[in-house]
Amino acid sequence: MSEKSKAKISWGTGILIGIIVFVVISVSMTIIFMMQDVNLVSDNYYEKSLVYQEEIDKQSRTKTLNEQVKINFNGEVVRILIPSEYLEKEISGEIFFYRPSNPKLDFVLPIHLVDGNQIIPVKRLEKGFWRVKLNWMMDSNGYYNERAITIE
């Protein structure tokens, strides 16, 4: 074979091929990223940030209680335990199950205590990481407890 029969790529052609490959990869990645589902922590995060001071006050008030409300999880049920010294008081509020990876699975239950307990079975919940947020009122004051759980 002679040297003239070998194909050579000039530097101009090499630069053009490099630019075309770069543009194709950039357009492909842009299309892929635009098709991804983006979940914010909260749809109305701005409004929630405005009432954040109230949440801080509730958490501070909760820490000053003589006995703390407990959120227990044993793998099958979430149990809310209200200390006996608060049982004679009017307690109301809600239990918020928050799934950071999929806000469509979030749900809220009202607090409905039986002898200072509320038991919530978790068998209907999807496996994975959850936050159980207890937002409750007692003596016209707001309180807040939270617990992270993993359902397997």
Side-chain angles (χ1 to χ4, degrees):
M1 262 177 138
S2 69
E3 290 185 28
K4 292 186 177 187
S5 64
K6 289 184 181 177
K8 289 186 177 182
I9 298 177
S10 70
W11 63 271
T13 306
I15 290 174
L16 182 62
I17 290 172
I19 290 172
I20 291 172
V21 168
F22 174 75
V23 169
V24 168
I25 290 172
S26 296
V27 169
S28 299
M29 295 306 288
T30 301
I31 291 171
I32 289 170
F33 292 146
M34 294 297 286
M35 294 174 65
Q36 297 297 317
D37 187 23
V38 177
N39 292 322
L40 295 174
V41 173
S42 175
D43 288 336
N44 53 349
Y45 66 94
Y46 181 72
E47 291 83 4
K48 286 189 176 184
S49 70
L50 295 176
V51 296
Y52 188 64
Q53 185 59 46
E54 289 179 32
E55 296 297 320
I56 293 172
D57 294 343
K58 286 180 183 180
Q59 291 174 2
S60 297
R61 199 175 300 117
T62 301
K63 290 177 184 175
T64 64
L65 292 172
N66 294 334
E67 287 188 67
Q68 295 296 314
V69 170
K70 293 181 178 73
I71 302 172
N72 294 334
F73 176 63
N74 67 6
E76 296 178 10
V77 297
V78 171
R79 176 174 287 179
I80 309 298
L81 300 164
I82 304 296
S84 59
E85 73 176 82
Y86 308 137
L87 290 181
E88 295 178 12
K89 299 183 180 196
E90 183 67 31
I91 295 175
S92 63
E94 58 187 19
I95 305 162
F96 180 58
F97 282 79
Y98 170 67
R99 179 69 184 256
S101 63
N102 187 352
K104 295 175 186 165
L105 298 175
D106 296 353
F107 65 96
V108 178
L109 297 172
I111 291 179
H112 181 71
L113 299 172
V114 177
D115 296 327
N117 292 305
Q118 183 164 348
I119 298 173
I120 303 127
V122 297
K123 62 184 173 186
R124 72 178 182 108
L125 298 181
E126 202 169 290
K127 294 181 181 187
F129 181 78
W130 289 83
R131 286 201 181 277
V132 180
K133 299 179 179 186
L134 181 62
N135 200 358
W136 55 289
M137 297 284 292
M138 177 177 72
D139 294 335
S140 301
N141 290 316
Y143 298 92
Y144 179 84
N145 297 77
E146 183 175 316
R147 163 108 193 254
I149 63 172
T150 302
I151 299 174
E152 298 179 7

